[in-house]
Amino acid sequence: MKTLTAKEEEVMGIFWEKGPMFVKQLLDFYDEPRPHFNTLSTIVRGLEEKGYLSHISFGNTYQYYALVSRDDFKRQTLKGVISKYFNNSYLGVVSSLVKEEEISLDELKALIRQVEEETDMDRKNL
């Protein structure tokens, strides 16, 4: 999955929240001063080229819709960060969060219990 610029991610957020739409409709979700129609159209076409959006033709205009879900995007983005900054070490990520006090030891223990319970339930359902 190709990375997105901040503007592309902003546009995708609108598609994920609002669903399929025409570029003209996309403009309505921006406060003044709104971006120019051509600017948004260029961003949307770029997102389509990157495989994030597709379209349905209605005469000479297109209604765009998301091909990639927000959850898939978050998952891939997280994997990219872990790969780039933590040498693919999920343990390194958790260790960093604990060291920086972004997550407490109690929260970490609760997370471990939750994962263990879910794993036990999955085994029982097999």
Side-chain angles (χ1 to χ4, degrees):
M1 193 176 295
K2 294 183 179 183
T3 59
L4 298 182
T5 66
K7 288 291 182 191
E8 288 172 330
E9 195 171 332
E10 179 182 286
V11 168
M12 282 305 300
I14 296 170
F15 277 99
W16 288 323
E17 187 176 320
K18 305 297 183 184
M21 70 186 83
F22 299 92
V23 175
K24 191 172 187 173
Q25 292 172 304
L26 185 60
L27 277 169
D28 294 336
F29 297 106
Y30 283 87
D31 294 327
E32 293 292 340
R34 289 188 171 108
H36 192 273
F37 176 88
N38 291 345
T39 301
L40 275 185
S41 185
T42 299
I43 292 170
V44 167
R45 284 194 314 275
L47 287 166
E48 188 172 29
E49 288 174 14
K50 288 182 176 183
Y52 284 88
L53 296 176
S54 188
H55 71 267
I56 299 170
S57 297
F58 288 91
N60 61 353
T61 188
Y62 300 135
Q63 183 184 48
Y64 293 90
Y65 59 92
L67 288 176
V68 175
S69 72
R70 184 187 300 258
D71 286 342
D72 286 344
F73 176 74
K74 288 192 304 190
R75 206 172 0 268
Q76 285 303 115
T77 301
L78 181 60
K79 283 181 181 181
V81 169
I82 292 169
S83 172
K84 185 175 181 177
Y85 298 106
F86 295 94
N87 199 27
N88 282 323
S89 171
Y90 287 78
L91 184 58
V93 173
V94 174
S95 176
S96 176
L97 290 171
V98 171
K99 285 178 186 173
E100 298 295 324
E101 298 180 9
E102 298 294 332
I103 184 172
S104 70
L105 287 175
D106 288 338
E107 290 171 320
L108 184 57
K109 289 175 187 176
L111 178 61
I112 291 169
R113 279 193 302 277
Q114 178 184 345
V115 170
E116 287 174 339
E117 289 170 5
E118 289 173 4
T119 302
D120 289 344
M121 288 181 68
D122 288 345
R123 287 185 188 142
K124 289 178 185 176
N125 291 331
L126 292 177

